[in-house]
Amino acid sequence: MNIFKKTEDSQQITILNDFRQRINSAKMPENVKHIAERELEIMSKMSPASAEYTISLSYIDYLVSLPWDRKTSDNLDLNQAKKILDERHYGLNDVKERILEHLAVKVLVMNKKPHILVVDDEEIARNNIEHILKKENYDVVTASNGVEAIEKLNTSSFDVVLTDLKMEKIDGLVLLEKVKNKYPDVQVIMITAYAAVDSAIEAIKKGAFHYIAKPFRLDEVRSTVKHALDKKLSTISTKGSVLCFTGPPGTGKTSIGKSIADALGRKFARISVGGMKDEAEIRGHRRTYAGAMPGRIIEEIRRAESLNPVIMLDEIDKVGGQDFKGDPESALLEVLDPEQNQSFIDHYLDVPFDLSNVMFIATANIAENIQGPLRDRMEIIEFSGYTEDEKINIALLHLIPKQIREQGLSDYPPNFSVEAVSKIINDYTREAGTRNLERQISNICRKIATEFVYHKESIRLVNITPELVERYLGPRKYFIEVADENNRIGVVTGLVWMETGGEIIFIESARMKGLGNLILTGSLGNVMRESAQAALSYIRSNASSFNISENILEGYDIHIHIPAGAIPKDGPSAGATIAASLISLFTGKPARRDVAVSGELTLSGRILPVGGIKEKILAARRAGVKTIILPFKNKVDIENLDPKVIKGLEIILTDRIEDIISRLLV
Ligand code: ADP
């Protein structure tokens, strides 16, 4: 018994010693180290068989495994970054330019030598401080009194001012006030005699960053200045400091994010925050919970083994709102706020962790859906859907070579013809981005690889033609929705803008015996229902101008239906289309199916501008629409488009429903 007890004890001692060593080498900040040591102390008094022992053990293990001071050094060569972005992505020129600008600002901020002003009437002190700070590679300027300091402040910019408190004429407090009034971002550190600590505290109340008491210690001067500089840098461009990529799926948001990480030489991690309802997923569980875990942010940093990874927060427009499990949104706000995230507290860790080195990039499908306060923190960069031409290029230059590599076909790479790729795009995918396109290419490559494995004799260079595409992928999945159908009464082609990009819809109206009710079906949101009501009211109040009888509803119900799956549809942009469908129904004139309409309708018959123009036009093109009628006020959006997007399409701009009707009805 005794022998067992002894081995158990010595085992525990080994474990404790091991942890002590790991705590010492983990390079944690002093306060964290202290907490870890205290936990170890408590643990040493517990029975290794108890649950608490295991909890403490896991906790300390977690603390020491975090990269407290490990980070990758940034590669700040913009040319190299540009090269990586260009090599890996076709097109996206605006996006790349915006990203490089963003990085350029970071490079400037990080490479700038900090400027420091030292103000002291005592020459020895002044020279000493200057000497210490110059050794840190800062640009140091000195002034021997307040007047001189103010002159220097007026002519060049400083990040930090160190000033003696007691000086003739203009003393430290007056100088502090002047600096804070004129340059609120500049951090001021007071230098004071021990006896004057009270007035130093007074200075902090007035906005000074901190104070240093004379005679000062070297390391104290160094670390106080360093902290002041960190604070100054973190306040630079707080607003919009986080990039947010918005756009339909498969438009390259994730892969650009990964390229940014590679260009900077940083680790890359992704966290999907879409649908997150529980704050603990971001901020972790308190250790008192059974099975408590840290939040995803800290976990990803631990996995990245570096405290400055690029972390992509996916679907930030779909974060769950506040409920009994807390508010993930406010936790995210804290994570993204440079003023607060220097000391982010994960509930499990229960000690602050500095997130200010992490580069966060958010992604969203629709920028408007991001909650206001979160959106304010972000610099939005829009990705949009691709034209067929762009998709062909992306496929030939990137997707096909990648799939050939991944499916092990590098020795006998199949050769895809442009016609074949175009067939895959038109007959097997219907999307704004390139996700399904990549999937279908991967299917083809996999089938070829399988053939090679089963029939060694069939190994050869395959030329992929449209016929082969059909053989590999089966009968076509999509048809050109518009061209193949006849014009019908009460059915009008509309355009909507959704998370997945633009879509065409067909709005159908029918009239049947009833009590004058308006029936709406097809998963419509409230705004779309209201648009339908408004459209009907508009037509009733202007019946005569469309040659429609005033009592068209008497003894009848009207049914408006918008098919296309059970996809929820909302937004005001279908107003004009619904009105056109009703007028087609009431006048008995069929509507041209290859004409698509989008526009918000007011009760007085004016057409108001709508969003998502590029996505809508791309969708119309995919569906074979020939003419698109859009609100006149969207003229600028059209002018800003790449001419290739509208090439071959007839675009009509109008702000009157009568125009739409005369173009649309046969
Ligand atoms: P998102 O994150 O927007 O949903 P992804 O980054 O996952 O889209 O892109 C889907 C696929 O398409 C990836 O393989 C990506 O590399 C590729 N892709 C998208 N856009 C481009 C582009 N412009 N050039 C090259 N590849 C692209």
Side-chain angles (χ1 to χ4, degrees):
M1 179 68 196
N2 256 348
I3 301 172
F4 283 134
K5 178 87 180 92
K6 257 197 185 141
T7 41
E8 221 171 65
D9 279 355
S10 71
Q11 248 180 20
Q12 203 199 346
I13 289 170
T14 322
I15 291 177
L16 292 175
N17 281 342
D18 177 43
F19 269 88
R20 202 157 288 131
Q21 219 166 35
R22 287 173 67 193
I23 291 174
N24 280 332
S25 52
K27 300 208 175 132
M28 307 164 160
E30 274 310 310
N31 56 335
V32 179
K33 191 172 169 201
H34 187 68
I35 286 174
E37 280 166 346
R38 207 183 53 202
E39 189 76 23
L40 193 67
E41 182 67 34
I42 298 172
M43 201 176 108
S44 66
K45 295 188 183 117
M46 290 183 205
S47 150
S50 68
E52 287 78 11
Y53 182 88
T54 320
I55 292 175
S56 288
L57 188 104
S58 318
Y59 176 62
I60 303 174
D61 186 43
Y62 205 92
L63 279 185
V64 296
S65 67
L66 284 173
W68 292 98
D69 83 332
R70 253 174 291 149
K71 55 175 172 176
T72 51
S73 56
D74 275 342
N75 169 11
L76 293 175
D77 179 351
L78 277 191
N79 288 319
Q80 173 69 7
K82 182 170 175 354
K83 221 168 109 195
I84 291 185
L85 290 178
D86 282 341
E87 269 170 13
R88 298 197 191 169
H89 297 92
Y90 175 84
L92 295 176
N93 294 336
D94 293 351
V95 169
K96 290 175 187 165
E97 204 172 298
R98 295 272 307 274
I99 289 171
L100 289 171
E101 280 166 18
H102 185 89
L103 294 182
V105 173
K106 276 207 180 326
V107 172
L108 275 186
V109 171
M110 289 200 257
N111 282 355
K112 192 176 147 263
K113 235 179 171 183
H115 285 235
I116 296 178
L117 176 64
V118 179
V119 193
D120 201 320
D121 49 8
E122 215 181 291
E123 194 182 347
I124 298 177
R126 203 166 62 225
N127 291 346
N128 272 345
I129 298 181
E130 183 183 14
H131 181 72
I132 299 169
L133 295 178
K134 275 200 166 150
K135 269 197 146 168
E136 296 294 299
N137 206 14
Y138 301 144
D139 251 342
V140 187
V141 173
T142 57
S144 57
N145 57 54
V147 182
E148 199 187 328
I150 289 173
E151 269 168 25
K152 298 212 155 139
L153 275 162
N154 285 339
T155 49
S156 50
S157 78
F158 294 95
D159 299 303
V160 173
V161 175
L162 282 101
T163 173
D164 193 9
L165 197 58
K166 280 228 152 45
M167 292 183 296
E168 297 278 307
K169 282 197 209 147
I170 296 185
D171 72 1
L173 279 180
V174 178
L175 185 62
L176 168 71
E177 205 176 313
K178 287 201 189 284
V179 172
K180 281 287 155 189
N181 283 347
K182 212 161 169 192
Y183 315 99
D185 281 348
V186 175
Q187 301 299 330
V188 181
I189 298 170
M190 310 305 292
I191 307 168
T192 153
Y194 260 123
V197 166
D198 281 351
S199 26
I201 289 171
E202 168 85 29
I204 288 180
K205 281 190 194 142
K206 289 196 169 146
F209 175 74
H210 215 315
Y211 69 89
I212 302 173
K214 276 185 201 170
F216 39 75
R217 297 197 322 266
L218 293 187
D219 54 344
E220 191 186 0
V221 175
R222 262 190 236 124
S223 75
T224 313
V225 170
K226 170 141 197 330
H227 284 137
L229 276 171
D230 284 348
K231 174 147 192 219
K232 166 78 202 295
L233 288 185
S234 77
T235 52
I236 293 177
S237 71
T238 306
K239 197 175 166 228
S241 61
V242 175
L243 288 179
C244 177
F245 298 164
T246 66
T251 45
K253 301 184 291 298
T254 312
S255 80
I256 284 263
K258 174 89 180 52
S259 302
I260 293 180
D262 291 346
L264 289 172
R266 292 191 183 203
K267 298 285 180 52
F268 181 73
R270 274 175 85 182
I271 300 176
S272 177
V273 295
M276 228 181 227
K277 285 215 159 52
D278 190 348
E279 189 183 349
E281 291 192 53
I282 306 272
R283 222 197 268 280
H285 292 280
R286 285 182 204 288
R287 253 176 305 142
T288 42
Y289 280 79
M293 280 190 310
R296 289 293 308 279
I297 307 268
I298 291 293
E299 179 57 19
E300 290 302 335
I301 288 176
R302 191 180 73 105
R303 247 187 253 171
E305 296 178 356
S306 123
L307 61 86
N308 63 341
V310 172
I311 296 188
M312 199 155 213
L313 301 168
D314 274 333
E315 302 197 304
I316 201 139
D317 50 343
K318 297 191 199 72
V319 192
Q322 203 169 351
D323 73 356
F324 67 98
K325 282 182 171 163
D327 181 1
E329 224 165 80
S330 70
L332 276 178
L333 267 176
E334 193 186 320
V335 166
L336 298 180
D337 183 352
E339 300 252 306
Q340 294 182 58
N341 70 8
Q342 277 177 325
S343 48
F344 172 73
I345 296 198
D346 180 285
H347 287 326
Y348 180 82
L349 290 191
D350 212 16
V351 290
F353 192 93
D354 183 359
L355 298 181
S356 62
N357 294 290
V358 179
M359 176 171 184
F360 288 103
I361 301 179
T363 76
N365 288 131
I366 293 187
E368 283 75 19
N369 293 353
I370 307 173
Q371 300 299 325
L374 271 176
R375 201 170 58 216
D376 288 346
R377 295 263 137 85
M378 297 180 183
E379 182 178 339
I380 306 260
I381 298 187
E382 270 177 53
F383 285 57
S384 52
Y386 295 116
T387 59
E388 186 181 335
D389 261 1
E390 286 171 320
K391 286 185 188 174
I392 292 177
N393 277 307
I394 293 173
L396 293 175
L397 296 172
H398 299 280
L399 306 179
I400 294 173
K402 180 172 154 206
Q403 288 307 321
I404 288 178
R405 273 196 313 276
E406 285 185 6
Q407 310 299 340
L409 291 173
S410 303
D411 288 342
Y412 292 91
N415 174 32
F416 283 73
S417 71
V418 171
E419 295 75 29
V421 176
S422 163
K423 184 172 172 68
I424 305 177
I425 294 170
N426 289 312
D427 296 356
Y428 296 89
T429 68
R430 190 59 92 240
E431 59 180 351
T434 55
R435 243 186 225 174
N436 287 318
L437 175 59
E438 183 169 20
R439 209 165 286 151
Q440 300 296 4
I441 291 171
S442 153
N443 278 344
I444 295 180
C445 291
R446 211 169 328 116
K447 291 200 163 135
I448 296 176
T450 318
E451 249 172 45
F452 285 2
V453 173
Y454 277 119
H455 311 285
K456 291 250 160 22
E457 70 287 355
S458 71
I459 297 185
R460 73 207 133 85
L461 291 175
V462 185
N463 276 323
I464 310 278
T465 57
E467 294 72 40
L468 259 190
V469 168
E470 188 150 353
R471 212 187 87 204
Y472 284 124
L473 298 181
R476 65 192 288 187
K477 292 210 174 84
Y478 294 96
F479 291 84
I480 300 193
E481 289 116 319
V482 164
D484 307 346
E485 297 263 351
N486 296 330
N487 299 333
R488 300 228 302 269
I489 294 173
V491 181
V492 177
T493 309
L495 298 169
V496 286
W497 179 37
M498 303 198 290
E499 316 218 311
T500 47
E503 295 280 350
I504 67 160
I505 51 169
F506 298 101
I507 297 190
E508 308 179 341
S509 309
R511 191 165 70 126
M512 59 247 169
K513 289 242 155 49
L515 301 168
N517 295 320
L518 174 63
I519 305 163
L520 299 166
T521 52
S523 301
L524 311 189
N526 283 337
V527 179
M528 213 181 241
R529 288 175 170 273
E530 285 169 9
S531 303
Q533 296 273 9
L536 184 61
S537 301
Y538 168 72
I539 295 171
R540 287 173 68 189
S541 58
N542 294 277
S544 58
S545 62
F546 296 107
N547 288 330
I548 295 170
S549 133
E550 297 272 338
N551 42 16
I552 188 86
L553 284 189
E554 241 161 63
Y556 287 98
D557 283 346
I558 302 292
H559 186 167
I560 299 175
H561 179 58
I562 308 186
I567 324 160
K569 308 166 201 81
D570 204 7
S573 74
T577 326
I578 296 173
S581 155
L582 288 171
I583 294 172
S584 160
L585 173 73
F586 297 151
T587 56
K589 291 184 188 160
R592 280 179 57 191
R593 208 172 164 88
D594 60 355
V595 177
V597 179
S598 183
E600 181 176 350
L601 178 73
T602 68
L603 264 188
S604 55
R606 274 181 315 129
I607 308 291
L608 301 184
V610 292
I613 292 293
K614 179 172 178 193
E615 300 301 334
K616 286 177 175 173
I617 294 179
L618 288 174
R621 194 183 255 296
R622 288 198 286 275
V625 165
K626 302 269 175 343
T627 305
I628 304 178
I629 308 183
L630 292 171
F632 192 78
K633 291 226 168 76
N634 281 115
K635 192 162 181 241
V636 257
D637 300 295
I638 304 278
E639 284 166 353
N640 286 337
L641 289 178
D642 180 344
K644 278 193 222 128
V645 174
I646 48 173
K647 196 172 146 207
L649 289 173
E650 183 188 19
I651 308 271
I652 294 167
L653 298 170
T654 178
D655 49 12
R656 292 180 40 222
I657 185 86
E658 292 83 353
D659 272 350
I660 297 181
I661 298 303
S662 68
R663 297 278 185 159
L664 182 68
L665 300 191
V666 184

